[in-house]
Every structure is written in structure tokens, then in C-alpha cells.
Amino acid sequence: SRDELVCGSSNVSLREFGCEQSLLSRPDGSASFVQGDTSVLAGVYGPAEVKVSKEIYDRATLEVLIQPKVGLPSVRERSQEQCVRETCEASLLLTLHPRSSLTLVLQVLHDDGSLLSCFLNAACMALMDAGLPMSCLFCGVTCAIDADGQIITDPTAAQEKESRALMTFAIDSKECRVMMSSTKGSFSVHELQQCIAVSQKASEKIFQFYRDSVKRRYSKTL
Amino acid sequence: MKDTPLANCERDFLLKAIEEKKRLDGRQTYDYRKMKITFGTDYGCCFVELGKTRVMAQVSCELVAPKESRPNEGIMFFNIELSPMASPTFEQGRQSELSVKLNRQLERCLRNSKCIDTESLCVVSGEKVWQIRVDVHMLNHDGNLMDAASIAAITALCHFRRPDVGIQGDEVTVYSPEERDPIPLSIYHMPISVSFSFFQQGTYLLVDPCEREERVMDGLLMIAMNKHREICSIQSSGGIMLLKEQVMRCSKIASVKVSEITELISKALENDKKARKAGGRCGFAESMPQERITALKMDETPVEMTEVTDRANDIVQKAEAPSQTVPSPVVPVPGVGQVGQGLQNTWGLEEEDEEEENDNSGEDEEVKETKMEVEQHDKEGSKQEDVVEISDSEEEEVVILHPETPDKAPKHTGPSFHQKGAAASKKKQKK
């Protein structure tokens, strides 16, 4: 059947990816994350004073802002902001900073597919750089299913355009569980489970990268 | 978020250092900070680093109708975005005094100086012209945003390529980059803004103030100039009185700085052109420093796919099968849809009751009456007719009531129309 065809792909890979932390002087934490040609810059401010209208008495208020490259933020950016905010809220220990504000600003530098997963990765690196207490790390993986039913991880913009379905998952570092999912297009339950399994496999690579970059930061030699 | 206030002792220290001709970062009075210009992967994207100040500019284009007063000219649009990333005091989507000031200055620097040939942006006179939009994003605010923004904007404009258009009779074709090489904008000259800050009522002057220096300065003078030493705009703010000699001196310094910066920009543009011609990868990803401990890169990595199928199969099999019985929508009363059984819809029943009471009064309200009649008919009718399943395609038309059709189109046959016809005839009887 078609379901068996799904996993015949051998070119399931992550594009080359890289990250630079603390590259901005003003924010408390900053990171740029690059996946292929897709790149995102993230900056975190906080914990800081919060507006009275946004104050939550038992935890910090997290605000996520996404800045598109051209024009003003629209509905698309709002929905992406919500996906990122909910993932960050799930991993950050917000109760340790009651009545304070955290602001995460994400700037698109170039969009060449898998933008939401790049947002998530940049956000996690920036939160790490800011030294905010978190219960776990998270990463984002985007999977596309093309017209033949093949799974493509970390698709480019062209691959995204030709895909039948597009899914982005946020995966936690402790048990590789799905923290957030955002899907587009139609797919079967089997395909969904396969994409989750692929994303969990891919997340191991990204977490290894996180670990390596932290190790490099605190090493005495390059 | 509020900005961290500057302590009095810090302010005094800065001012005293300036009096002694010393600057916080060890620069001389007329020195610019280190400047770096990089380009994005696509055309018209430029990053400028001026010390720690970081700015990104992106140029885009769109076909629009021209302004009525200038039917042969393209439109230039500038937008400086003070992103909250640059400084905690910047708020998203709010026009602050600073953003208005910067926007206005950039417009005066680039639009009013006529550095771009807007007439070449005309496609069809009075109908279609190119609108060139320049978005400047502030990424990190460490002083002198204006200079960084003007450099980023003009460099991005020089780097930008717009799609080629072909006109054949009345037809306008916009060619994709694959079909025809995109065209650069025609730029006459490159105005660059140079900022001077004044301290102690104009006694001391510094070029390229950093954020700390901007906080303690008394006044600011921005001169936009091109390499031909033509002044494109001068703006003085902060309300200090400048002497003629001071303005002259500043314009002389500006001309030196502008020629240096112009050279840097043309070098950067040339390098990028070479890199693009060579077919190598270029852009932000490639400009990431490799020698820093804060940066790390990983090559393309395959994801292991064995086990994946098994795992997915496993989960799907273990998962509880979803209930197979999907409730089909039912129509208890015509014109009303309902999902799930046993639900009593109380929607609008009261109104119907009212209508029933006023039965004989309104003969002109045919639509309502027909509906009501059908309902009555259904209530009288057997239970089977009471519930009409939408999923049954043949009877689907029962749900849509056209009060006029039974009379006007009696030729239609089928169970559904019989029912309606019956309703209509019944109505007539009653009248």
C-alpha cells in the first residue's frame, strides 16, 4: 500500500545548520540560527519589569514577537508567534520569576523553507544564552510529504511548495516528546506517526549540536 | 520595558572624558567605529555593522498605480522598523518620536535628493509603475542608528535587482529571474548620512556617537552628502545654537567620511558580485564567523530512517481504533441541520409558534408561509419523513427550500419535489 512507500526515501537529511550566540550587545540573550539558507535572529530581554496590564501574579509573562523581512507582522506571524510562545512556555520555568516579563524577538533574515522550526531552534539557543531556567530544551523539525508520499525533513522553500503536507514539531530534549505541532495539508495517521518518529530521530542530531555548541562555549581551547 | 537610567556619576565621567579628548571605546574624535557590510542570499538584502550597532535593510518591489500628480514616476517607500530587539525601549507597532525622526531623515536623504531615477521605474504611463519599498530593521542599538540605516538602505538599493518587464501592445509581461536577468536600479549618486554630536553647548564635537555618548549629548547634526561633496540634507536637532564655522567644519569632515564609506560600499558590492558570478554560496550563512567560541556549524547530516516505519506501525497498531460510526447529519425539521442524535433543537421554535398564530393575517409573506406550511406538513406526516438524512444524495434537495419552484417548475420529478409540491398544494387549499 501507499503507507509502505512512505519510508523508502534515503535522502532524509537535515541541511547544514549553524548557530552563533551572544552576537548582539543589547539583549540579555541572542542567537542566530541558520538552516541551509534559512536564517533567523533571536533576541531575549528579561526577566524585567512588566506592564501592570500584562502582569501575572504567579509567573513571568512571556511575549514572543516575530518580525517579517518585508512589511509589518500579519496573521501568519501571529500564528507562528503563538506556536513558539506555547512551546517556550512549556519548557521555561516561568514560576521562578513571578510578576516579570520575558520578551523574545525573532527576526527573519532569510526564508528558504522550514522557517517555523528555525524560529524554534533560534529561540531555544537565545533562551539558553540568556541563562533562563528551563525544565528542558526544545528543538523544531519540519517534515514535508511530497506528492509521491516521500518524507522530506528540513525542506527548502521549493520543496515546501511542492509538498502535499507540511508538519512542524517541537520536540523536548528529555524524552523526545512532541511539545507542539503545526500541520498543513492532508495526511494519514500513519504518515503523521512516521513524521513524528523521523522528527524525533532528527531532534537527536540537533540536541547533540546544542550540546556541542555549549561545550565549545565553555571550553578553554577551540 | 523601561530603559536602564544612566547614573549621574557615569554621565559626569563621560563628559569629563570628552573634555579631555578621550572616548569610552578609545577612538579619536573623528573616528568611525569598525564597519562591516554583508549581503543576504537574495538581492537587495544588506546587513551593516557599525561597531555593535546592527542594521538590516531589505528592498522589495511591487507593481502599483502611480500617483495622479506624477504619472510617469515610480514610487519610493521607506520604512524604518525600530524592532524591540534593538533596544528594550522600542515598542512594536508604535510610532515613536525617534522612528518618525529617522524615517523622515532617511526620506530626505534618499528620496528628496533624487538619487534614484524614478522615471525609469515607469512601466505604463499613468497605469503601472514599480513601487520600491525599503524596509530597514534595527537589530541592535548602540548609537548612530541613522548613519547605519542610511548606509544599509543605499547599499541595499545598489544591490537590488528588479524583474524585467516586456511590453507588447497592451500586454505587460513580468519575467521571472530564470527567464530574463533582473535589472538593477539606476542610481545617480549615493547620499550617506554622517552624524556629529555636540557636548557642552557645542564646545566639543564627536563623530559617530555610540549609545552612551548619545545619552549625554546636547545636540546632534546629521549631514547627508555624496562623494561629489554635494550636501543632500542637513538636520540639526537637540536645540543647540551652532556657529557658521562649526557647520562648515562638520561638512568638511563629512566629505572625508563619505568618500571613505562610499569606497567601502563599492568594494563590498564588487566582492559580492564576484562571489555571485563564481557561483559560490553567499549571504548571511556564509558570513557567520567560524573562529568564535560562540559559533558552531554542522554539515548536512542524514537522519536515520530504519526503525521509523516500525515505530510508526507500532504506535498506530497500539492506538485505540477510533469509533467507526460517524454520526451523519440529520434534518429533524427542513431547514435545520443537526449532528448527533437525540438532540432537541430549540432554535427559533418560538418564532415559528408566533407565526402559526398569525397564520391568516399575512398573505403576502409567501416565503415564510411556505416554510411554515412545510413544517406543519412534516409534523403531521409520519416519522419517516420527519428525519431526512443529508448524507443521502438523492434527497439532499429536500433541505433547500425554494418556495417558488414547485409552482414555476412542475416538470421536475422525484420524491423530493413531490413532497414540496404537496406542501404547496396544501397551502393553496388552506387559502
Side-chain angles (χ1 to χ4, degrees), chain B residues 199-212:
Chain B
F199 302 85
Q200 312 273 332
Q201 296 308 310
T203 325
Y204 301 102
L205 171 154
L206 292 182
V207 176
D208 183 24
C210 70
E211 198 252 350
R212 284 290 140 100

Side-chain angles (χ1 to χ4, degrees), chain B residues 27 42 86 153 397:
Chain B
R27 277 185 288 160
D42 41 6
E397 281 169 302

Side-chain angles (χ1 to χ4, degrees), chain A residues 194-219:
Chain A
Q194 272 190 330
C195 283
I196 292 175
V198 170
S199 303
Q200 284 169 331
K201 276 277 174 212
S203 76
E204 287 169 18
K205 306 268 181 205
I206 298 170
F207 290 129
Q208 189 54 48
F209 172 79
Y210 283 1
R211 218 163 283 134
D212 291 345
S213 57
V214 172
K215 242 188 215 168
R216 186 179 157 99
R217 260 191 95 165
Y218 295 104
S219 65

Side-chain angles (χ1 to χ4, degrees), chain A residues 21 29 37 40 47 57 61 83 89 124 133 155 158 167 177 186 215:
Chain A
Q21 284 182 308
D37 279 336
V40 167
Y57 69 92
T61 310
C83 288
E89 275 173 352
C124 186
M167 306 173 214
R177 285 196 174 153
S186 64
K215 242 188 215 168

Side-chain angles (χ1 to χ4, degrees), chain B residues 59 76 78 110 116 132 134 153-160 185 187:
Chain B
V59 181
M76 300 295 300
F78 296 95
L110 296 178
I116 289 149
I132 305 293
V134 185
I154 192 71
T155 315
L157 282 167
C158 290
H159 191 245
F160 182 66
L185 303 174
I187 292 168

Side-chain angles (χ1 to χ4, degrees), chain A residues 88-93 132-137 172-174 179:
Chain A
C88 294
E89 275 173 352
S91 73
L92 281 165
L93 297 169
L132 291 167
M134 294 161 92
S135 61
C136 61
L137 300 177
D172 84 315
S173 63
K174 276 202 291 196
M179 297 173 86

Side-chain angles (χ1 to χ4, degrees), chain A residues 7 9 12-27 32 34 36-37 39 41-43 45-46 48-49 51 65-73 78 81 101 103 105-110 151 153 189-190 193-194 197-198 200-202 205 209 212-213 216-217 219 222, chain B residues 1-3 40-42 45 47 52 54 56-60 79 81-89 91-92 133 135 137-142 211 215 281-282 284-286 288-309 311-313 315-316:
Chain A
C7 248
S9 151
V12 177
S13 64
L14 296 172
R15 290 176 286 177
E16 53 171 24
F17 57 100
C19 175
E20 187 185 355
Q21 284 182 308
S22 331
L23 70 166
L24 303 178
S25 68
R26 290 301 291 273
S32 75
V34 178
D37 279 336
S39 52
L41 186 65
Y45 284 98
E49 193 184 352
K51 267 190 198 164
L65 301 167
I66 289 178
Q67 305 277 346
K69 215 175 174 191
V70 173
L72 298 169
R78 293 269 174 275
E81 276 171 14
S101 84
T103 314
V105 191
L106 295 159
Q107 170 73 52
V108 183
L109 299 183
H110 188 74
I151 295 178
T153 51
V189 177
H190 195 90
Q193 289 298 343
Q194 272 190 330
V198 170
Q200 284 169 331
K201 276 277 174 212
K205 306 268 181 205
F209 172 79
D212 291 345
S213 57
R216 186 179 157 99
R217 260 191 95 165
S219 65
L222 269 179
Chain B
M1 210 160 89
K2 273 185 202 156
D3 211 357
T41 318
D42 41 6
C45 181
F47 300 87
K52 284 174 185 165
R54 262 183 184 239
M56 177 181 83
Q58 173 71 53
V59 181
S60 50
N79 175 37
E81 195 70 30
L82 294 182
S83 160
M85 189 189 285
S87 164
T89 45
E91 274 177 55
Q92 195 190 31
R133 185 191 169 103
D135 284 89
H137 298 270
M138 303 299 175
L139 304 177
N140 198 47
H141 174 26
D142 190 35
E211 198 252 350
R215 282 212 195 184
R281 280 176 49 121
C282 42
F284 186 74
E286 293 307 297
M288 210 169 78
Q290 291 298 303
E291 67 284 1
R292 287 194 200 153
I293 53 165
T294 49
L296 185 63
K297 211 165 178 189
M298 202 156 145
D299 292 331
E300 193 169 318
T301 45
V303 180
E304 224 174 289
M305 288 289 286
T306 55
E307 292 180 39
V308 165
T309 321
R311 229 184 124 170
N313 279 333
I315 292 170
V316 172

